[in-house]
Amino acid sequence: MIIAHLSDLHLDGEARAEERVAAVMGYLAGLAVDAVVVTGDIADHGAAAEYARAAELLKHPAPVLVCPGNHDVRAEFRAGLLGLPPSDEPIDLAQEVGGVLFAMCDSTIPGRGAGFLADETIEWLDGVLSGGDGPAFVAFHHPPVAVGMPLVDAIRQSGEERLASVLRRHPRVAALLAGHVHTGASTTFAGVPLRIAPGVVSSSLLPVEPGGGRGWDEGGALDHDWPPSLLLHVLHDDGRVTTHHRVVSR
């Protein structure tokens, strides 16, 4: 199985963000991937028009699986992307693709940049992972560990010990998929591979890179000129996950 993983589209009604998303989806149009996972911040302001445009752009023959990020608004996300009645409750969705479970979790705290899996989300995740023993991916926007990017580490997912407990009970989880950081990164959490997709709209800089020390009041440690990129995850028959990073020219 091959999974395309992208994140942080930040569609805002402007041509720049749309062109970058269109370039990534155009690249994927020629690939026979089995699923496309989008780990949040699909809209920049959570507006209905932004989700309407996202629904037009995020099309692929394979299932497109989404979860919200801190820039998303639950009610508009539900209505515009999922065709569901508006609600402010967490958006937790599970779908099986080719015998592999994808648990798409809502790690957002409405009105805040930081992340947290609500108790009801943790309970839901424990339940869906108990429903079988085949491989599973758990996706959310906020990484549950620090990744060496001070600005986003300050607004990562907290309360992570509850997630770790769930993962220890369910060794079927092949990898965790996240976004939020705006850079492709790979680490582990609770002994499980954690893959973080790069931002489609922009790229975060490490403190050692030029401009990497800027604060939010200085525009953030972001590069807006690097081309968009994404991850391709290969799930092997033995349960391993190999991740490839692809840059997309516009």
Side-chain angles (χ1 to χ4, degrees):
M1 171 173 279
I2 300 179
I3 302 123
H5 180 195
L6 51 150
S7 197
D8 296 88
L9 317 184
H10 288 269
L11 290 164
D12 58 1
E14 301 296 328
R16 180 186 175 277
E18 291 191 11
E19 288 171 359
R20 293 172 75 92
V21 175
V24 170
M25 295 308 297
Y27 167 75
L28 287 177
L31 302 185
V33 299
D34 298 287
V36 178
V37 171
V38 189
T39 48
D41 278 0
I42 293 171
D44 195 46
H45 308 100
E50 293 169 348
Y51 292 115
R53 188 64 180 128
E56 295 172 348
L57 290 167
L58 295 176
K59 291 182 177 178
H60 194 276
V64 178
L65 312 174
V66 296
C67 63
N70 52 287
H71 278 255
D72 292 307
V73 174
R74 288 172 174 173
E76 299 292 358
F77 188 105
R78 285 179 184 274
L81 280 182
L82 305 176
L84 298 174
S87 167
D88 293 326
E89 295 301 309
I91 302 170
D92 300 316
L93 303 166
Q95 184 170 336
E96 195 166 285
V97 179
V100 177
L101 175 69
F102 290 85
M104 309 297 295
C105 304
D106 188 338
S107 64
T108 67
I109 306 171
R112 293 181 55 188
F116 183 83
L117 294 177
D119 289 341
E120 61 194 276
T121 296
I122 290 289
E123 183 178 353
W124 169 85
L125 178 61
D126 198 21
V128 297
L129 291 174
S130 298
D133 57 6
F137 288 89
V138 175
F140 35 67
H141 183 63
H142 300 80
V145 291
V147 295
M149 298 282 195
L151 290 180
V152 289
D153 286 344
I155 52 172
R156 69 173 179 88
Q157 183 187 143
S158 62
E160 66 274 10
E161 67 282 349
R162 299 166 307 126
L163 173 62
S165 295
V166 171
L167 296 173
R168 284 192 289 267
R169 288 194 293 273
H170 300 286
R172 66 182 294 196
V173 177
L176 307 170
L177 308 180
H180 191 50
V181 184
H182 287 234
T183 190
S186 178
T187 185
T188 57
F189 172 76
V192 179
L194 169 60
R195 305 292 190 252
I196 301 170
V200 171
V201 72
S202 62
S203 298
S204 288
L205 302 170
L206 284 164
V208 297
E209 295 181 287
R214 294 194 301 261
W216 292 121
D217 58 341
E218 302 171 289
L222 294 170
D223 187 291
H224 295 275
D225 295 325
W226 290 354
S229 55
L230 72 155
L231 303 181
L232 296 173
H233 307 298
V234 181
L235 175 62
H236 300 277
D237 292 341
D238 61 3
R240 291 181 303 110
V241 176
T242 300
T243 297
H244 303 266
H245 189 175
R246 289 290 177 268
V247 175
V248 178
S249 60
R250 290 178 288 155

